Amino acid sequence: MDALHPRLLVGRFADTFRFYDAVLPTLVGAALTRGGPDGPYASWDIGAEGVLMLFDRSAMAEVTGTAGLPADGPPAQDRTMLVSRVPDVAAGYELCLRHGAAPVAAPADRPQWGPTMRTAHVRDPDGNLVELQSY
């Protein structure tokens, strides 16, 4: 049962699909359970639990009646972030970069967030902020 899971609404479906399909198995052990790069939907699970779903933004806009609105607005601060606990932040960061992520913040210790906290930040191909963390 999926009690609550993230579903990213993306404009660059194929690129974003390839990114998550390449990194999720290594980062968190998730396996593709449905969909492919042609969209409009894909999902990855660990066992029977949903981990991440992608959905084509324009397809959802048709359903919600927002297709006539702009897809993107002016640059602004992030409103959402995907966070994944990983055993090795530097290795996860490099894996993401190899598969098309844009670097945001290199691996660094963050003692102000927790005594053993270490994080790195990237953007997936659709621009979503992703935090890799260990503690």
Side-chain angles (χ1 to χ4, degrees), residues 40-59:
Y41 179 83
S43 62
W44 291 264
D45 295 355
I46 296 176
E49 292 293 321
V51 171
L52 179 68
M53 289 74 188
L54 298 180
F55 198 77
D56 182 81
R57 184 183 303 154
S58 62

Side-chain angles (χ1 to χ4, degrees), residues 19 23 27 88-101 106-107 120 122 132:
F19 171 75
V23 303
L27 287 180
D88 184 331
V89 169
Y93 180 77
E94 292 302 321
L95 174 69
C96 290
L97 295 181
R98 281 196 312 272
H99 290 285
V122 299
L132 305 173

Side-chain angles (χ1 to χ4, degrees), residues 68-129:
L69 297 175
D72 294 304
Q77 293 179 355
D78 294 291
R79 294 182 55 115
T80 60
M81 175 174 64
L82 296 175
V83 179
S84 180
R85 187 173 180 188
V86 296
D88 184 331
V89 169
Y93 180 77
E94 292 302 321
L95 174 69
C96 290
L97 295 181
R98 281 196 312 272
H99 290 285
V104 174
D109 294 331
R110 305 250 182 242
Q112 68 276 27
W113 294 358
T116 61
M117 179 66 76
R118 185 165 175 76
T119 68
H121 295 84
V122 299
R123 290 197 185 281
D124 72 17
D126 205 60
N128 297 295
L129 185 61

